[in-house]
Structure formats: C-alpha cells, structure tokens
Amino acid sequence: MAELKLINGYPEYMRESIKLVEKTRNKRLNTLPKQMTMEERDEVLRTYHPDYVEGGKRAIRIGQNKGDIAPNEVVDLLEAYPVIEPDELNLNEIDYDVDILIIGGGLAGTSAAILANDNGIPADKILIANKLRHGDANSMMAQGGTQAADRPNDSPVIHYIDVMGGGHFANKPDVVKALTEDAPVAIKWLSELGAIFDRNEDGTFKELTGGGTSRKRMHSCQDYTGMEELRVLRDEFRNRDIGNIEYSPVVELLTDPSGKASGAVLWNTETEEYKIVRAKAIIIATGGFGRLHIRHFPTTNHYGATADGIVLAYRAGAKLRDTDTVQYHPTGAAYPQQIIGLLLTEKLRTSGAQPINVHGEQFVFPLEPRDVEASAIIRECYGNNNGVETPTGMRGVWLDTPLIDIKNGKGTTEKAFPAMVRMFKRFGVDMIKDPVLVFPTLHYQNGGVETDPWGHTNIEGLFVAGEVSGGVHGKNRLMGNSTLDCLVFGRRSGIEAAKYVKNVQHAGELTLKHVEKYVSMLKDEKIETTRKAPILFPDYRGKKVLERKIDLMH
Amino acid sequence: MEEKRRDLMEEIAEANSSASSGIDDKKIKHWIHIYVLGKQYKVPASLTIMQALEYAGYRFNKSVGCRAGFCGACSTMYRVEGDYKIKTALACQTMAEDGMYLVQIPFSPAVKAKYDINNEPYDGNVFLKYYPELARCVSCNTCTKTCPQDLQVMDYVQAAIKGDFQKVAEWSFDCIQCGLCAVRCPAEIVQYHAAQLGRRMYGKYGLSEEPNIVKRVEEIMSGKFEEEFKKVMSLQKDELEKVYVKQQNEREIY
Ligand SMILES: Cc1cc2nc3c(=O)[nH]c(=O)nc-3n(C[C@H](O)[C@H](O)[C@H](O)COP(=O)(O)OP(=O)(O)OC[C@H]3O[C@@H](n4cnc5c(N)ncnc54)[C@H](O)[C@@H]3O)c2cc1C
Ligand code: FES
C-alpha cells in the first residue's frame, strides 16, 4: 500500500479542516468564549474528566490510607509485593554512610542537597541517589514557567487564593502559604546562582499568566524553564562535590527497630548488585507517576516517572493524601504519532493560541483551570463529535498556534518557544504557519505523601519534597506551581533535614521490618498477586519479542 | 448515562493505545530494517529511533530520560547503509530510517571544572582559566555539525575564547548537554560545560538586578503580608470561594 501522502506534515483530509481554522482566524483574533461559571465547570468535569468518570479507581485495601480511593494503576502498586526478598539481604555491611540521603535529583532533590550543604552538612555527608542520570527528570521538561508573585499589582496572598481555588479548596493552607511566600525567595535564589529568566526591555522579568492564575506571575526561560533551572542547580551541586550516584534507584527504605527512616537499599541497574545506605534523614524527591499511563492516557512525563517514591514511603508507614486526583494536561500532542502525549505548554495559550474544533470554531475559554480545559476538549472530541481523527485513530482538536505571531509580532513563536518549534519541525510540522493537533495527556500527580510546610512526613527521619508530595495543590495544580513546589519544599526540606540530623544518632540497627510487616498485611488481606513494586521502568518492548524471550542467565 | 460515560473512557483508551500499551502489529502497513550491534531488526516505519529500539526488544535502563528532547540522555551515533558518514542524533527526537546502524552513547567521560560562582570576577578570561583546551579549537566546525539542537557550537566556542559572556549565553541557551559535541571534538574541548559556566556568569553578573523581586523579598522578610494572610486563612470555604471567584473575574489575561 502506498504511504500516506502528507502536505507539509498533514494528510489531505486534515488540511481540509485546517482551511476552516484559517478561515475563522481573523474573526476570532480578539474574541474569546466566556469563562465558565462554577456550575458549568462542575458539569463538564463530572461528565468528561477521566478522574470523575467511574471505573478508573478503587479503594486501597491496606496500610495508612486503607479505604481511600486512588487510580487502579496506583492501587496495583500499593497492593504489590517487594522486588527484594528481605531475608536475602545483608544489611550489616554499609556501603554509604551519610547524614542525609536524597532520593531523586530533580529540582526538589537538587535544591534540598544544596540547602542542606548551605546549612552545615558537609558535601560528603549528603548523597543523592538517581535512577537514571542526575537530571533525567520531569524537572528538565518544564516549559511554561515558575510562578512567583513579585509584580507590584500582585502579592503572595493573591497567589495563595489562586492556588486554593485551583485546588478546589482541598489544599493544606499552611503549606500553600509557605509555597506562595517563599516563591519570590526561590526565584531570587536561582537568579543569584546565574539562572537566566526572560526579561523585558526595562530589565524587569517578563511574566505571563496561566490557566486559573489571576495575575501575570509566570517566570520563564523561553520554553526551557525547567532545564535552565535544573542545569544551573546541578552545576552548583557538582561544584560543591556533593555525593551523587547514578543508575542506582532506591528499591526499598530501611528503618530502625522503632520504625524511624534510617537508610535505603540501592540497586545498581548495570551490575544488578545491591548497596546499603545508612542515613540519619531521608528526603524522598522521586517525582511523579505519568508512566503508569492511568486510564491508558499517553503522558508528558519522563521515563522514570513510575511512582516509586509513593510505594517506598507507604510501605514504611507514611500517610498519603489526595490520591484520588490526577492531572491531565489539556494540550498533549495528538499528532504526529512519534510525539503523542508530549507536552504543548500552557504558555502557548497564554500567548494567544486558541483551541479550535474540526469546523474552525472556538468552543472553550482558552485559560480555564487545567482540569476544566481538559474536560472541555474531551467533550468536544467525544461528546460533541467535533474532533479531528488522526491516521492512527486518535481524536484531537486544533491548537491555533499561528495566532501567537499574529498577536505578538512575527518571530515571537520562534523566540519564545524554540523547543516546541524545533520538536514539530523534526517531525515535519511548522507550528508557526499551521495549527497543531492536541488531546489531553497524563501530566501530573496532584496528591502524594502528606507533608507539613517543612517537608516532614508522619515518619520520623523521613521528608518528602516535590511532585511526590501531597497537600499543596489540593485536587488540581495550576501551571507554574510545581517547579515552584520543588524549589520551595526542596529548599525547606534541605534546611529542616540539616537541622534534624545534628541532633540524632545513626540507627543502631538497619532493618526491613516494615517491609516484612507490609507483606504480612498483604497476605492477611488475601491479596494474591505476582505484581511487584517499585517497577522502576515502564516496558514498551514489542510483544513478539516478549513471546520468545527466555531467561538463561539466572 | 453512567454506562455511556464508562464506554467513553474505553473508547478513548482504545484510540490512545499505541502510545500507552504498545504497537499492534496488525495496524502496521510499512516496515523498515535497522541494525543494532550489527544485527538486523524489522521494525514499523514512522517510529523514533527510541521507539524502534523498544519494538526490537530493548527495555532501556540508560540512554533514556525525558523522551522529548530536553534532557540529552539519548545521544545516538549512526550510519546509514550505503553511506560512510557517521551521524549523530537524539534517539527520542529522530525518526528511525531504513538501514540505520545504531549505537547509544549513555555517558560522556568529559571533565567539568569546579568553581565558586560567588568568588569569580566577571572577567572574560574565566573561560580559558577553567577550560584551557578551548584555545586548541581548530575551527573544524565538527561540534556544530554534530549538535542535535542545531546550535552554532563553534561560534559560541569562539565567543568564549574572546570572553564574550552574552554571546556564549545566547548562542548556547538551547543546549541540552547531551555531550555529543565533546565526544566528537578533535581538540578535546568540553563545549557544553564551558557554555554552562558562561551562562551562569552572564546570568549572575551580566544582567541587572531585577527590581521587583528584590523589593518583594524584602517585604516578605519584613512580614508585610502576615496580617492579610491571617485574614484570608481564617475565611470559611464559601467565603474564600467568593473572594476567589471575584479575583478570577478581574484577572489579567494577556
Ligand atoms: C513535560 C512537562 C512540563 C512541565 N511544565 C511545567 C511548568 O511549566 N511549570 C511547572 O511549574 N511545572 C511543570 N511541570 C511539572 C514539574 O516539572 C514537575 O512536577 C517537577 O519538576 C517535579 O520535580 P521533582 O523534583 O519532584 O521530580 P523530578 O524532576 O521528576 O525528579 C525526580 C527524579 O527522581 C528519580 N527517581 C525516581 N524514582 C527513583 C528511585 N526509586 N530511586 C532513585 N531515583 C528515583 C527520577 O528518575 C528523577 O530523576 C512539567 C512537567 C512535565 C512532565
Ligand atoms: S530522552 Fe531526553 S533528550 Fe531524548
């Protein structure tokens, strides 16, 4: 059969719809649909949001959050057996003896390491364990920006109110206060370390709004914001010679006989040997869970986003919260096939791009909070049947990106979104001239391990920071608040852990008692399964290969 | 109604399945051959190199990170059958082509200089102080040809030799630190680390202090917002919701 003929990246039938988009473009330029009322928001969420539609979740049967609801894919991991056999490991031979172990080197973990060092913990008494390389993380991918209320017409209190409303008022107020109050401090800190944020001609920061954000307070570095922030922090981290080990995921925490967090088991993904870390404090900063593909959604997340941190902490007895909500980003790429699910930053919409249906019509205010915007797009595709179907059978709506240059002047898109323009160009699409096709994609873990404003969990010696934590975003996070969350609570947990370790001794004995106890709870509950967790990596191997795979080396 | 909505989710799952649960061979119409360690594998056309390797049977535990062109973990070298040229690419951002001989480069053993940004004078000589190899540049342009981000690497190397922080910062800004330039450089220059030094110096010393942030941090430190926070935090949910709705209706948009 002949290859599908493409005209500048799109098959002819999609071009037909693009013509309709072009036809209405001028008319739409300065008109937007009305924002939804609270009732309308409710209605579209209940009917079309994957979180609200039944069948995707169930109750957790064991542990601290027994009875709480979470996505099936997450419960599957909580109701799974450990990857190690507790009694086969020698816990007495310690390979790394440190004050603070940080698990995961994204923005949260790297910030924590630097602040712990600033607060008196020597570089060789801090260790970051990374599953992949230091920086292979969701943090690297943040495009849109980081919120901080620093303009004269804004304030941390206004920011606070936006966060609470966006999170459906389910957030933990004291944690949100810390988030919004520390935000300018975090941006200032990054600038002083040499991070380059976009500026206006007069030297002030160039700031934009985001969905559900009432003031312009998004600080960005073109569309490489997370990359700029993390590479600066990583460089600073390396300059200080802080302990760092790569390709060595933590596969289980260790506790002392009283249940305090006291260390961890690392697993070298190359040699497959385990290593024992003893630590007085542990900061879990493992990020999110996009690679679980909740409800079969594609994801924006990096390869290592597999919920390991939640599994490890939960087994040690940590409390979770807001496990029932997941964030779907309204605009993931739906075409071409090679980039399905990858993110098209919200900043495109704050810069003027509008969601448009197959007939070239607007159907939603472009900057509703994420959950509302995503639901409206699903409704347009599957409820109103006004989506565009791709050659692989996905449906999506247009994001009319050419509007950005029309509104803000020629060259804006290329200057403000080099990463996006580059990505589409690599696969044959020119987003400056043509709209791009989008559909919601699994983006962010709203809930997680519960903390207080200093990163403490309910387990002594155990801290969490970043996407793995729960509470600060309530039921829905707003754009630009999670890189912020990582910076603020990474810093705070680093400071607090440094304080904590000065007054405690190392554990006398390292144990896996909490794991043994967890296994017996699984058995008591009659949870019989071959599932094991943490899963560490997703698996996209071809099915044919797997059918013929045989294991000869063990 | 409930039933119908559940069906909706199944319909979406089915439509999304190629991205979440792997490729269904029956749907594939076009195939290509790639070579890994010289061995031939038949894989669907229209995949990235990374997806093609996975289809061929690899479950990555390195050479993978963001899968979106941001982290530089997936550096790849390849040659296409019939050609003699060794090319470079990001596996997650490049289509697999028929006849590709592929190898992944998960790590580059390049040196990173250590320095204290707070005690470094804003002096263009800093590049050669920490990366003296820069002076060995023979302007062969291999780095530029190698860069999967299409940056003018050689130009920023030249700017670094001249001590021009702004040019280094601007021209290297989109660098994802994959390390391929350094791996290919005949003069053993570590372009991407030198650029990082340049960007930080420029960000810290070359840009003016931002007035709003300085002022706001001072205000926060002096407790300026405490009263207002107290007030807002004492509101009942329905009262807070009213404040929120009002604030949303008065929002800045563009
Ligand atoms: C495409 C994309 C765009 C985004 N855009 C924005 C934006 O514009 N603004 C914003 O505020 N937020 C944005 N976000 C969200 C934000 O980037 C993340 O929530 C945040 O960076 C998470 O940081 P983190 O430090 O908690 O985790 P990560 O940055 O994901 O780092 C966690 C690290 O832990 C490692 N790890 C995981 N498990 C283990 C283990 N068992 N052992 C050892 N290491 C482990 C991981 O490999 C990873 O390196 C975006 C996210 C994505 C995916
Ligand atoms: S995996 Fe990050 S750039 Fe390819």
Side-chain angles (χ1 to χ4, degrees), chain A residues 261-317:
Chain A
S262 312
V265 181
L266 304 184
W267 184 62
N268 180 332
T269 54
E270 292 291 300
T271 62
E272 305 194 339
E273 73 188 313
Y274 70 86
K275 296 269 180 189
I276 302 298
V277 187
R278 187 168 76 160
K280 293 179 187 168
I282 296 170
I283 303 174
I284 300 186
T286 48
F289 63 27
R291 290 283 154 189
L292 301 185
H293 292 294
I294 312 265
R295 295 213 108 162
H296 292 279
F297 269 71
T299 184
T300 60
N301 283 197
H302 83 117
Y303 187 71
T306 51
D308 304 352
I310 297 186
V311 172
L312 303 178
Y314 198 65
R315 282 186 188 152

Side-chain angles (χ1 to χ4, degrees), chain B residues 146-167:
Chain B
T146 303
C147 180
Q149 292 285 85
D150 296 327
L151 303 183
Q152 299 298 314
V153 184
M154 192 184 82
D155 292 359
Y156 83 62
V157 166
Q158 291 300 326
I161 295 170
K162 295 197 190 84
D164 187 333
F165 288 109
Q166 184 173 356
K167 287 207 170 112

Side-chain angles (χ1 to χ4, degrees), chain B:
Chain B
M1 184 68 191
E2 209 48 74
E3 271 306 297
K4 214 174 112 204
R5 280 193 264 143
R6 203 176 297 192
D7 293 348
L8 164 85
M9 284 300 141
E10 271 159 31
E11 203 181 335
I12 295 175
E14 168 64 26
N16 290 345
S17 63
S18 78
S20 60
S21 39
I23 292 157
D24 181 355
D25 281 5
K26 282 191 236 87
K27 289 191 185 156
I28 304 297
K29 296 183 193 117
H30 307 286
W31 299 84
I32 56 170
H33 292 98
I34 58 169
Y35 299 85
V36 188
L37 305 183
K39 262 203 286 301
Q40 193 189 59
Y41 295 88
K42 183 179 163 196
V43 300
S46 76
L47 298 181
T48 62
I49 293 173
M50 183 172 283
Q51 291 162 342
L53 290 171
E54 287 174 332
Y55 181 88
Y58 285 84
R59 186 181 190 186
F60 288 105
N61 64 1
K62 54 180 173 293
S63 288
V64 63
C66 68
R67 300 177 76 102
F70 287 85
C71 78
C74 63
S75 304
T76 301
M77 285 199 190
Y78 68 94
R79 184 178 68 76
V80 180
E81 216 166 11
D83 195 356
Y84 65 90
K85 287 199 178 109
I86 301 283
K87 297 186 179 165
T88 51
L90 298 175
C92 73
Q93 290 291 292
T94 310
M95 295 272 283
E97 279 174 49
D98 199 35
M100 268 183 170
Y101 282 79
L102 295 157
V103 66
Q104 309 296 113
I105 318 281
F107 182 77
S108 107
V111 183
K112 193 201 101 66
K114 308 243 159 93
Y115 49 90
D116 178 356
I117 191 94
N118 293 315
N119 288 316
E120 207 54 69
Y122 193 51
D123 173 349
N125 288 324
V126 72
F127 289 108
L128 289 166
K129 173 173 158 195
Y130 288 111
Y131 294 101
E133 336 60 86
L134 283 167
R136 297 178 54 199
C137 175
V138 294
S139 304
C140 70
N141 211 28
T142 304
C143 50
T144 298
K145 280 189 277 186
T146 303
C147 180
Q149 292 285 85
D150 296 327
L151 303 183
Q152 299 298 314
V153 184
M154 192 184 82
D155 292 359
Y156 83 62
V157 166
Q158 291 300 326
I161 295 170
K162 295 197 190 84
D164 187 333
F165 288 109
Q166 184 173 356
K167 287 207 170 112
V168 172
E170 282 170 10
W171 293 348
S172 75
F173 195 83
D174 296 4
C175 169
I176 58 172
Q177 310 191 327
C178 67
L180 279 168
C181 49
V183 171
R184 293 288 274 160
C185 178
E188 276 91 30
I189 296 171
V190 190
Q191 295 86 339
Y192 63 109
H193 284 326
Q196 178 69 72
L197 167 66
R199 283 192 305 273
R200 283 191 68 189
M201 291 295 288
Y202 181 66
K204 183 167 177 63
Y205 301 110
L207 294 174
S208 56
E209 202 174 50
E210 210 272 352
N212 289 330
I213 198 101
V214 174
K215 178 145 181 262
R216 185 51 45 82
V217 169
E218 275 167 17
E219 289 172 347
I220 290 167
M221 293 305 173
S222 72
K224 179 176 169 185
F225 302 102
E226 284 306 316
E227 265 312 296
E228 222 180 315
F229 261 121
K230 228 183 254 159
K231 226 166 53 202
V232 167
M233 291 174 79
S234 67
L235 296 178
Q236 295 300 312
K237 186 183 157 199
D238 55 327
E239 295 169 322
L240 184 59
E241 188 169 324
K242 272 196 209 120
V243 178
Y244 169 70
V245 169
K246 181 155 175 285
Q247 191 169 294
Q248 288 289 306
N249 288 334
E250 292 163 0
R251 65 193 283 189
E252 293 181 291
I253 297 179
Y254 296 125

